Amino acid sequence: MAAPPSSPELPWRTRIQLSIISKFNDASRRRDGTVNRRLLRFFESVIRTPANSNPIKGVWTSDITIDSSRNLWFRLFVPTQFTGRGDSQLPVVVFFHGGGFVYLSPDVKSYDIVCRRFACKFPAVVVSVNYRLAPEHRYPAQYEDGFDVLKFLVGEKSLLPENADLSRCFLAGDSAGANLAHHVAKRACESKFKDIKIIGLMAIQPFFGGEERTEAEIELAGVDLLVSVSRTDWMWNAFMPEGEGMNRDHEVINVSGKNAANISVLDFPATLVVVAGFDSLKDWQRRYYEWLKNNGKEAYLVEYPNMIHAFYVFPELPESGHLISQLRDFIHNQCQKIN
């Protein structure tokens, strides 16, 4: 039996993209805990893409503002094959992008492409959320924005296609976005919405952590091409407000740790957790999955042993397409339970 690779086997194209992203992100972080947004705007201006009402690969998009004072908006992705067909009710996927709560937005090209693929392949109406970023806006601003999106969708149903079915709503996100999706799902359960039903959560390599250094964080130091202890520590410091108890064992970071919330009493949605072998966050993600199971919740674990953090945003990787198929099947199976 062949030994597992000691480093991820990736195309040069992917490695070059990862190197560029890492260098710009590292260069943008200042020692005083602030971010050089001017540098980031210069970089992101090259990779931003506008919404387009003309279908691209079978999906049209539009940007909808919720609250301009806090730059809260979302990009709506609608598959044209089902537009205007009242007999084809589509699930709604509310998606939160990654970036350590500090970087990126729905109009960055990689996320525009990902959500376009989601809308077409699932198929579903996808709502990709632009939430406030740290350190300019610290916790709980991001969670408030996420929850307010759900309230907006309930109150402004007319802005969605007629066949968007809010009784079959899924929350999804990758990295920090998966952390955000989890906590928005928890708050939605506590609020007991009547006009929207969250039946599934897709946590793609969620960004969790703690004061402890896990085995993966130690072993993958220098191997993980995107995530490192120094980077995540900086991001958590940028995300959390200063104050007593505001360390990495806070329940919003170490979600399954000693300060974890009690979700056993909640009607928490079925959750799919995605883990990659060369992601230094994988131990925290597996603990999350086990925590869900131990609390009596329906949870599924999908692992990609030879992949890296954020692998699925690189369409040249076969595993990216495979994951989208796994997410599609999860959505289909959960929808079948309520049909």
Side-chain angles (χ1 to χ4, degrees), residues 304-320:
Y304 291 86
N306 297 323
M307 284 293 99
I308 58 170
H309 192 78
F311 72 90
Y312 85 110
V313 302
F314 300 99
E316 65 269 20
L317 300 177
E319 290 84 354
S320 175

Side-chain angles (χ1 to χ4, degrees), residues 171-244:
L171 298 185
D174 70 313
S175 196
N179 175 308
L180 180 49
H182 165 81
H183 289 291
V184 171
K186 173 179 172 289
R187 185 171 175 185
C189 291
E190 294 167 340
S191 301
K192 298 180 180 178
F193 276 119
K194 293 182 179 180
D195 296 320
I196 185 170
K197 177 65 175 176
I198 298 169
I199 64 171
L201 169 62
M202 296 178 287
I204 305 170
Q205 300 176 274
F207 185 31
F208 298 130
E211 289 294 313
E212 172 195 351
R213 296 303 186 204
T214 68
E215 184 177 333
E217 287 174 322
I218 295 169
E219 289 186 349
L220 292 174
V223 177
D224 192 321
L225 302 177
L226 198 59
V227 178
S228 68
V229 167
S230 62
R231 287 171 182 157
T232 57
D233 281 358
W234 191 96
M235 290 172 183
W236 289 130
N237 287 335
F239 173 67
M240 294 300 289
E242 295 180 358
E244 185 177 352

Side-chain angles (χ1 to χ4, degrees), residues 77-79 82 90-93 115 118-126 331:
F77 296 79
V78 180
F82 300 93
L90 293 178
V92 176
V93 176
C115 289
F118 285 171
C120 182
K121 297 294 185 181
F122 288 168
V125 172
V126 177
I331 290 174

Side-chain angles (χ1 to χ4, degrees), residues 23-327:
K23 281 181 169 40
F24 265 94
N25 287 352
D26 288 345
S28 72
R29 298 198 311 272
R30 299 189 178 110
R31 291 183 180 179
D32 64 358
T34 61
V35 173
N36 186 340
R37 291 292 177 195
R38 180 177 295 182
L39 175 64
L40 285 177
R41 281 195 292 270
F42 169 76
F43 173 59
E44 292 178 354
S45 67
V46 181
I47 58 175
R48 289 190 187 278
T49 184
N52 196 332
S53 58
N54 295 318
I56 298 175
K57 295 187 176 180
V59 178
W60 63 264
T61 58
S62 64
D63 292 341
I64 297 175
T65 298
I66 297 176
D67 184 348
S68 58
S69 69
R70 50 179 158 149
N71 197 28
L72 179 58
W73 56 275
F74 62 82
R75 177 159 292 181
L76 183 67
F77 296 79
V78 180
T80 55
Q81 180 182 355
F82 300 93
T83 302
R85 284 179 52 183
D87 61 331
S88 298
Q89 293 295 298
L90 293 178
V92 176
V93 176
V94 179
F95 177 81
F96 301 99
H97 66 80
F101 295 108
V102 175
Y103 304 109
L104 305 175
S105 61
D107 55 359
V108 168
K109 187 175 182 179
S110 57
Y111 280 117
D112 184 82
I113 292 173
V114 160
C115 289
R116 198 175 293 276
R117 292 173 77 191
F118 285 171
C120 182
K121 297 294 185 181
F122 288 168
V125 172
V126 177
V127 172
S128 182
V129 180
N130 189 73
Y131 53 87
R132 286 173 287 179
L133 298 177
E136 294 88 349
H137 305 282
R138 295 174 181 264
Y139 164 82
Q142 296 77 15
Y143 300 167
E144 291 171 350
D145 289 350
F147 186 70
D148 285 349
V149 170
L150 297 187
K151 292 193 294 184
F152 180 86
L153 293 177
V154 170
E156 302 292 342
K157 290 181 184 177
S158 62
L159 294 177
L160 298 177
E162 289 185 8
N163 56 347
D165 186 358
L166 287 175
S167 70
R168 293 187 295 161
C169 184
F170 293 79
L171 298 185
D174 70 313
S175 196
N179 175 308
L180 180 49
H182 165 81
H183 289 291
V184 171
K186 173 179 172 289
R187 185 171 175 185
C189 291
E190 294 167 340
S191 301
K192 298 180 180 178
F193 276 119
K194 293 182 179 180
D195 296 320
I196 185 170
K197 177 65 175 176
I198 298 169
I199 64 171
L201 169 62
M202 296 178 287
I204 305 170
Q205 300 176 274
F207 185 31
F208 298 130
E211 289 294 313
E212 172 195 351
R213 296 303 186 204
T214 68
E215 184 177 333
E217 287 174 322
I218 295 169
E219 289 186 349
L220 292 174
V223 177
D224 192 321
L225 302 177
L226 198 59
V227 178
S228 68
V229 167
S230 62
R231 287 171 182 157
T232 57
D233 281 358
W234 191 96
M235 290 172 183
W236 289 130
N237 287 335
F239 173 67
M240 294 300 289
E242 295 180 358
E244 185 177 352
M246 293 299 182
N247 60 28
R248 293 191 303 274
D249 281 331
H250 191 285
E251 67 171 282
V252 300
I253 299 175
N254 192 350
V255 68
S256 58
K258 61 183 180 181
N259 299 314
N262 179 17
I263 65 165
S264 64
V265 297
L266 299 179
D267 184 21
F268 200 79
T271 303
L272 180 71
V273 183
V274 179
V275 177
F278 287 99
D279 182 354
S280 58
L281 298 174
K282 64 181 180 180
D283 290 343
W284 297 111
Q285 296 156 1
R286 289 193 182 115
R287 290 182 190 182
Y288 172 60
Y289 163 74
E290 294 295 340
W291 174 72
L292 290 170
K293 297 286 284 185
N294 291 337
N295 276 276
K297 304 308 170 188
E298 183 181 352
Y300 305 91
L301 183 67
V302 177
E303 298 196 67
Y304 291 86
N306 297 323
M307 284 293 99
I308 58 170
H309 192 78
F311 72 90
Y312 85 110
V313 302
F314 300 99
E316 65 269 20
L317 300 177
E319 290 84 354
S320 175
H322 184 270
L323 175 58
I324 289 179
S325 296
Q326 294 274 6
L327 299 175

